[in-house]
């Protein structure tokens, strides 16, 4: 027994440097085209599951060890694909179903409708100190404490986005920003939008509202371009005033701010060291783009790099949206995508310096696109899906270097896709096909044996094929039963066991 145990430990250690893919649930009979639409609450991951003939449709809850359980009375439900139509506040998960607001009690699993007959689906759900704020799909500001009596309208107003700095909520309408403490009396317009002397409206870019490091930022539309601003009290300061472009008239910081293509409409992306955003080199729409970074100070708001002519940067679809749940722990490296005539749409990175901003790897060699999607960082490693002519769309990982960028596993061997993910023009939503939760990268995948289902990349270094009953001989290591057969490693999952072959990814 000691020899077998020692051999098994050596075997496991030998694969510690090889990230592999595991199946979280038993495979479906066919390919799943429906989105999973993730959200997490206190150690559990919730998601929609539909389209399996061998499993009821509905909302499932898992701790990550198995597919989990179908929540009571949800076998006809699913989360909306738009991530801002679900959110966590207090002990509740809020989500919309048609013109009604529903909650899941994260402690008891009770599912309840708390408001019906809204004018539209609840949207822009966000937390303010245990109170959920939301709109009726962009109209009227509402609040809820998770009960029917505590759910009511605060104010008649347009709502384009809601973020919170932990003390107040900030709501963008079509041109301005409101500040709210969650009450009607405490919801006031900050009046940033103005008509200048030339009769041109200067206004807030509504989708740009972003919280980072306890501060709220937004892009401000000006006659000669855009500027980055930060809210301080009831006012806003302009950041990076020393970086004005003369061809903008010397009155702006970022000219013709770049509106993301093929990705989230949020114009800014936070990392642990600051927020990144794109701009154009002049106001004429020449397509000469720039990358900027801000640490929230005037001196720390700087242009990182000017891209060469013909290079267009994108904010790609991500595993997690910063302003939705589950929130992501960000690394210092900003991963994004860009296209150029030589390499197509590929993975890029930046550390906030010109020398540290470059294409990581031409994953799909030549001008063909690899179109990275579902970007998510775990411990400095960016996981994502990408397309190649030889392998289709599969899961890749990168440490920000060419040598450290590689396919994790050809889950669906050959040219067939192993990752279920939308291709253009339907690739514009985050957190619906992939997510990061508890140190693992979850995604919608498909393999020839397991079918289409929920998979994860983690440290177990195994590829699970199918569910088994524990009938083979056992070895008990630290009270975790591990079953060993020739060429096969079997790992347990709460009294349910899976069979899988160890894969070497050299």
């Amino acid at each position: 027994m000691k020899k077998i145990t020692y051999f098994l430990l050596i075997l496991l250690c030998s694969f510690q440097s090889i990230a592999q893919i595991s199946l979280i649930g038993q495979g479906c009979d066919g390919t799943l085209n429906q989105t999973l639409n993730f959200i997490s609450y206190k150690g559990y991951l919730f998601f929609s599951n539909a389209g399996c003939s061998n499993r009821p449709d509905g909302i499932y809850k898992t701790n990550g060890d198995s597919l989990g359980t179908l929540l009571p009375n949800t076998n006809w439900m699913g989360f909306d694909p738009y991530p801002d139509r679900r959110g966590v506040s207090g002990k509740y998960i809020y989500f919309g179903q048609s013109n009604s607001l529903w909650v899941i009690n994260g402690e008891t699993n009770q599912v309840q409708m708390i408001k019906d007959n809204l004018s539209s689906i609840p949207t822009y759900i966000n937390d303010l100190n245990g109170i959920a704020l939301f709109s009726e799909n962009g109209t009227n500001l509402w609040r809820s404490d998770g009960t029917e009596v505590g759910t009511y309208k605060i104010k008649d107003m347009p709502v384009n986005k809601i973020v919170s700095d932990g003390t107040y909520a900030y709501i963008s309408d079509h041109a301005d920003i409101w500040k709210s403490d969650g009450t009607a009396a405490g919801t006031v317009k900050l009046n940033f939008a103005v008509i200048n002397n030339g009769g041109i409206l200067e206004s807030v870019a509504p989708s740009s509202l972003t919280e980072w490091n306890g501060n709220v930022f937004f892009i401000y539309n000006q006659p000669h371009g855009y500027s980055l601003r930060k809210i301080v009290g009831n006012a806003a300061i302009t950041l990076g005033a020393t970086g004005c472009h003369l061809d903008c008239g010397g009155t702006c910081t970022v000219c013709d701010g770049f509106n993301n293509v093929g990705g989230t409409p949020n114009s800014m992306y936070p990392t642990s060291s600051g927020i990144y955003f794109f701009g154009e080199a002049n106001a004429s729409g020449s397509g000469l783009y720039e990358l900027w970074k801000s640490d929230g100070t005037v001196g720390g708001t700087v242009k990182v790099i000017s891209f060469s002519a013909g290079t267009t940067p994108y904010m790609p679809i991500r595993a997690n949206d910063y302003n939705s749940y589950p929130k992501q722990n960000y690394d210092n490296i900003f991963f994004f995508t860009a296209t150029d005539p030589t390499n197509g749409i590929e993975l890029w990175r930046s550390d906030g310096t010109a020398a540290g901003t470059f294409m990581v790897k031409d994953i799909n060699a030549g001008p063909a696109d690899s179109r990275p999607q579902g970007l998510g960082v775990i411990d400095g490693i960016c996981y994502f899906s990408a397309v190649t002519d030889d392998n289709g769309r599969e899961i890749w990982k990168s440490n920000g270097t060419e040598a450290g960028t590689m396919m994790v596993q050809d889950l669906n061997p050959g040219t067939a896709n192993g990752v279920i993910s939308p291709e253009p023009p339907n690739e514009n939503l985050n957190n619906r096909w992939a997510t990061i939760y508890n140190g693992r990268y979850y995604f919608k995948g498909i393999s020839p044996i397991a079918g289409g289902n929920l998979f994860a990349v983690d440290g177990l270094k195994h590829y699970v094929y199918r569910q088994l009953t524990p009938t083979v001989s056992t070895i008990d290591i630290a009270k975790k039963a591990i079953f060993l057969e020739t060429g096969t490693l079997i790992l347990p999952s709460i009294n349910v066991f899976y069979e899988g072959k160890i894969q070497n990814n050299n």
Side-chain angles (χ1 to χ4, degrees):
M1 180 64 72
K2 288 183 179 179
K3 290 183 177 179
I4 296 176
T5 301
Y6 176 76
F7 169 74
L8 181 57
L9 290 174
I10 294 297
L11 184 63
L12 290 175
C13 291
S14 68
F15 289 92
Q16 287 303 302
S17 62
I18 306 168
Q20 292 292 303
I21 295 172
S22 55
L23 175 67
I24 304 304
Q26 190 175 3
C28 287
D29 294 337
T31 300
L32 287 173
N33 292 318
Q34 289 83 359
T35 55
L36 291 175
N37 309 322
F38 299 99
I39 192 167
S40 69
Y41 174 85
K42 288 188 177 179
Y44 289 94
L45 187 65
F46 297 77
F47 62 96
S48 306
N49 200 13
C52 292
S53 60
N54 59 345
R55 182 179 302 113
D57 295 353
I59 297 175
Y60 282 74
K61 174 183 178 180
T62 180
N63 63 0
D65 287 332
S66 65
L67 184 64
T69 58
L70 176 68
L71 291 182
N73 304 316
T74 66
N75 59 341
W76 54 272
M77 288 184 170
F79 295 129
D80 192 280
Y82 287 86
D84 54 21
R85 292 178 179 174
R86 56 190 184 274
V88 172
S89 181
K91 64 180 179 180
Y92 297 104
I93 295 173
Y94 292 80
F95 66 101
Q97 287 282 311
S98 298
N99 292 8
S100 58
L101 180 68
W102 290 71
V103 294
I104 300 172
N105 187 315
E107 299 174 355
T108 66
N109 293 339
Q110 180 183 8
V111 182
Q112 180 182 2
M113 183 181 70
I114 58 173
K115 191 65 181 179
D116 199 6
N117 297 319
L118 297 170
S119 65
S120 189
I121 188 169
T123 309
Y124 306 120
I125 300 172
N126 213 314
D127 171 68
L128 176 62
N129 300 319
I131 297 296
L133 299 183
F134 65 96
S135 76
E136 298 169 274
N137 196 24
T139 303
N140 303 323
L141 182 64
W142 286 69
R143 60 168 281 160
S144 177
D145 62 2
T147 67
E148 183 176 2
V149 68
T151 303
Y152 52 88
K153 182 168 62 174
I154 297 175
K155 190 175 287 290
D156 295 325
M157 57 180 288
V159 177
N160 281 89
K161 193 172 184 180
I162 302 174
V163 302
S164 172
D165 64 1
T167 303
Y168 296 97
Y170 296 86
I171 305 101
S172 59
D173 60 21
H174 297 319
D176 220 319
I177 293 177
W178 296 67
K179 181 178 180 180
S180 178
D181 62 3
T183 68
T187 302
V188 296
K189 184 183 287 191
L190 298 183
N191 293 315
F192 295 149
V194 297
I195 301 292
N196 65 24
N197 293 333
I200 300 174
L201 175 67
E202 295 185 2
S203 62
V204 175
S207 64
S208 68
L209 200 62
T210 300
E211 182 275 330
W212 175 76
N213 200 27
N215 294 291
V216 175
F217 302 82
F218 62 94
I219 299 293
Y220 193 67
N221 301 335
Q222 296 176 275
H224 299 287
Y226 293 21
S227 64
L228 176 69
R229 296 192 174 188
K230 179 177 74 172
I231 297 176
V232 179
N234 291 335
I237 62 172
T238 300
L239 303 175
T242 59
C244 295
H245 295 301
L246 295 179
D247 53 3
C248 291
T251 59
C252 60
T253 301
V254 184
C255 300
D256 271 358
F258 181 52
N259 188 16
N260 308 320
V261 177
T264 169
N266 185 3
S267 300
M268 292 180 278
Y269 188 77
T271 67
S272 59
S273 60
I275 54 175
Y276 287 82
F277 54 100
F278 297 113
E280 279 193 85
N282 56 50
S284 63
S286 66
L288 298 175
Y289 299 110
E290 301 171 337
L291 175 64
W292 286 69
K293 181 184 179 182
S294 176
D295 64 1
T297 68
V298 172
T301 302
V302 297
K303 182 176 70 174
V304 177
I305 194 172
S306 295
F307 295 99
S308 59
T311 298
T312 302
Y314 299 90
M315 289 284 197
I317 181 173
R318 296 187 181 275
N320 292 63
D321 186 282
Y322 184 75
N323 290 309
S324 66
Y325 291 86
K327 290 184 182 292
Q328 181 176 326
N329 294 321
Y330 291 96
D331 194 65
N332 279 326
I333 301 298
F334 169 49
F335 289 94
F336 62 100
T337 59
T339 183
D340 63 54
T342 302
N343 303 293
I345 301 177
E346 297 292 348
L347 184 70
W348 285 60
R349 48 130 319 153
S350 177
D351 62 2
T353 68
T357 304
F358 50 83
M359 185 184 73
V360 177
K361 184 172 185 174
D362 188 6
I363 293 172
N364 202 11
D369 302 331
S370 71
R371 301 195 72 89
Q373 294 181 5
L375 277 63
V377 178
I378 305 175
D379 297 330
I381 303 297
C382 181
Y383 292 89
F384 58 98
S385 70
V387 174
T388 64
D389 294 337
D390 293 334
N391 303 109
R393 182 169 290 280
E394 298 288 351
I395 296 296
W396 286 65
K397 65 177 182 178
S398 176
N399 64 1
T401 70
E402 182 176 8
T405 302
M406 63 194 72
M407 185 172 64
V408 173
Q409 185 173 317
D410 193 359
L411 187 60
N412 202 0
T415 58
N417 293 337
V419 178
I420 302 173
S421 184
E423 297 296 339
N426 300 312
E427 53 176 339
N428 61 344
L429 293 177
N430 294 331
N431 201 24
R432 61 199 299 235
W433 303 92
T435 195
I436 292 174
Y437 163 68
N438 200 24
R440 306 174 85 186
Y441 179 89
Y442 291 82
F443 67 97
K444 193 69 163 290
I446 184 169
S447 75
I449 298 178
N453 216 310
L454 178 61
F455 290 78
V457 180
D458 59 13
L460 294 179
K461 319 309 187 275
H462 66 289
Y463 170 25
V464 175
Y465 286 131
R466 57 187 173 87
Q467 201 172 65
L468 291 180
T469 55
T471 57
V472 296
S473 60
T474 67
I475 301 172
D476 185 66
I477 299 177
K479 297 183 179 180
K480 292 184 178 180
I482 298 179
F483 301 85
L484 184 65
E485 295 176 325
T486 303
T488 302
L489 177 66
I490 301 179
L491 298 174
S493 176
I494 313 178
N495 299 322
V496 177
F497 295 81
Y498 298 108
E499 176 190 49
K501 293 183 179 179
I502 295 177
Q503 303 279 312
N504 192 322
N505 203 41
N506 289 336

